[in-house]
Amino acid sequence: MRDLLQQIERAAGANLYYVALLAGLSLPDICGAMESDDGEATRQKYISWFDRWVAPRYTVGGAPSLTGEVCYYYRC
């Protein structure tokens, strides 16, 4: 996982923004699947993982400014 994160950072640093964005939007899918019992990725696992781990870091006035559902639509 650390290698993937480093490659995303390198892609962004090399102005490969679409590559970095696509890889970044895939992370909640990968992480949600890794935390699940069956290891499968689903829409709901993506949204739940994002809302638990990422959304709290991006708030405006205490409310999430980016939700798992919105991010899932970007991913798709």
Side-chain angles (χ1 to χ4, degrees):
M1 184 62 69
R2 184 166 297 159
D3 188 45
L4 178 57
L5 294 172
Q6 289 173 345
Q7 288 189 30
I8 291 169
E9 288 178 2
R10 284 189 211 129
N15 299 329
L16 299 171
Y17 300 117
Y18 292 118
V19 174
L21 178 62
L22 292 172
L25 289 171
S26 299
L27 284 175
D29 234 356
I30 295 166
C31 294
M34 288 174 62
E35 287 185 355
S36 74
D37 292 334
D38 63 5
E40 297 289 324
T42 66
R43 176 183 183 274
Q44 190 53 50
K45 290 175 188 175
Y46 184 107
I47 292 169
S48 295
W49 188 91
F50 188 95
D51 286 343
R52 184 172 359 131
W53 296 104
V54 181
R57 294 174 180 245
Y58 298 94
T59 61
V60 175
S65 60
L66 181 62
T67 66
E69 188 169 356
V70 170
C71 195
Y72 184 80
Y73 284 117
Y74 291 153
R75 172 210 168 274
C76 292

